[in-house]
């Protein structure tokens, strides 16, 4: 089986579960460390000619991370493309099962069982909290409706304030975000790399939780450790 992955989360999942299946991945596929495959460009601008030259049996993609035009071009060239849709934690488990089976996994990996178990009984604080979750600045963008990260936070007792917005990733002026007075501002380190020196200063007087973006937005082996890691970061921010 020869697989090209255009999604970092799926790259990690396949590499860990079906060693040797991956022949190509994006430049943003950073896990597992030291993955030795051909790099095929970014998630939004993959080099379709390079992908075709690898003669893959399957390209795995995601409806949010990858552009339909690129996937259509691969299909037109005779390449089989499997496209995932992940908006909730249960959907992530189902889609991972589907992807790994398509990539040649003979059985369900233990890490996926562990991830499902971890999310069946996640640590939840005594009371629910409100949040805004910036994912970019210049301009400021936040989580909106129907997102995987939003579902992750909701399962940990955190309701983000733009969950009912018409857009999935709306642009919102930082003044409006501050005026919303959330219980916590959640600042992941991807896609924008928020740090202690870049992000919290925009929200004076508000608790800020700097979180590992891989735990918040990736669906793969990191799912198993995500509930405890995110809950700890959220709890520390509100002390």
């Amino acid at each position: 089986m020869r697989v090209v992955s255009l999604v970092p989360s799926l790259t990690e999942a396949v590499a860990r579960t079906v060693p040797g299946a991956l022949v190509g991945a994006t430049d943003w596929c950073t896990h597992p460390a030291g993955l030795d495959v051909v790099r095929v460009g970014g998630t939004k601008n993959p080099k379709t000619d390079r992908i075709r030259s690898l003669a893959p049996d399957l390209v795995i993609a995601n409806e949010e991370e990858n552009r339909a035009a690129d996937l259509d071009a691969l299909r037109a060239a005779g390449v089989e493309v499997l496209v995932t849709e992940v908006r909730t934690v249960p959907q992530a488990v189902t889609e991972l099962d589907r992807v790994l089976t398509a990539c040649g996994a003979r059985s369900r990996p233990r890490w996926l069982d562990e991830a499902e178990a971890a999310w069946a009984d996640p640590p939840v604080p005594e009371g629910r909290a409100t949040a805004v979750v910036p994912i970019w600045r210049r301009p400021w963008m936040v989580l909106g409706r129907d997102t995987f990260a939003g579902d992750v936070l909701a399962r940990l007792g955190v309701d983000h304030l733009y969950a009912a917005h018409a857009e999935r990733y709306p642009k919102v002026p930082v003044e409006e975000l501050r005026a919303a007075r959330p219980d916590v501002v959640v600042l992941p380190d991807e896609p924008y790399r928020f740090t202690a020196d870049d992000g919290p200063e925009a929200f004076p007087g508000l608790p800020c939780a700097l979180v590992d973006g891989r735990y918040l937005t990736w669906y793969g082996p990191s799912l198993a450790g995500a509930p405890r890691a995110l809950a700890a970061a959220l709890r520390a921010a509100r002390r």
Side-chain angles (χ1 to χ4, degrees), residues 77-112:
V79 178
E80 183 176 353
V81 180
L82 185 159
V83 182
T84 59
E85 179 181 309
V86 178
R87 307 287 178 89
T88 68
V89 172
Q91 195 175 22
V93 173
T94 299
E95 290 286 63
L96 284 164
D97 253 332
R98 183 166 74 102
V99 167
L100 295 174
T101 297
C103 291
R106 296 183 178 179
S107 61
R108 197 184 207 224
R110 178 178 295 180
W111 64 259
L112 189 52

Side-chain angles (χ1 to χ4, degrees), residues 51-164:
I51 293 171
R52 291 197 302 270
S53 74
L54 292 171
D57 299 303
L58 183 66
V59 170
I60 50 178
N62 175 263
E63 50 87 31
E64 179 178 12
E65 292 200 50
N66 308 118
R67 300 185 307 175
D70 295 319
L71 305 183
D72 289 343
L74 289 170
R75 292 190 185 98
V79 178
E80 183 176 353
V81 180
L82 185 159
V83 182
T84 59
E85 179 181 309
V86 178
R87 307 287 178 89
T88 68
V89 172
Q91 195 175 22
V93 173
T94 299
E95 290 286 63
L96 284 164
D97 253 332
R98 183 166 74 102
V99 167
L100 295 174
T101 297
C103 291
R106 296 183 178 179
S107 61
R108 197 184 207 224
R110 178 178 295 180
W111 64 259
L112 189 52
D113 289 335
E114 292 171 349
E116 191 167 31
W119 281 104
D121 186 25
V124 178
E126 294 181 0
R128 298 194 72 83
T130 60
V132 295
V133 190
I135 58 164
W136 203 259
R137 67 184 301 177
R138 306 182 192 95
W140 287 90
M141 298 175 67
V142 298
L143 290 187
R145 64 168 180 84
D146 197 23
T147 65
F148 173 73
D151 186 64
V152 163
L153 290 172
R155 292 169 187 276
L156 297 173
V158 178
D159 302 310
H160 71 91
L161 295 178
Y162 291 87

Side-chain angles (χ1 to χ4, degrees), residues 192-209:
Y192 185 91
R193 187 173 179 79
F194 288 106
T195 68
D197 300 319
D198 186 357
E201 81 289 343
F203 302 95
L206 293 176
C208 291

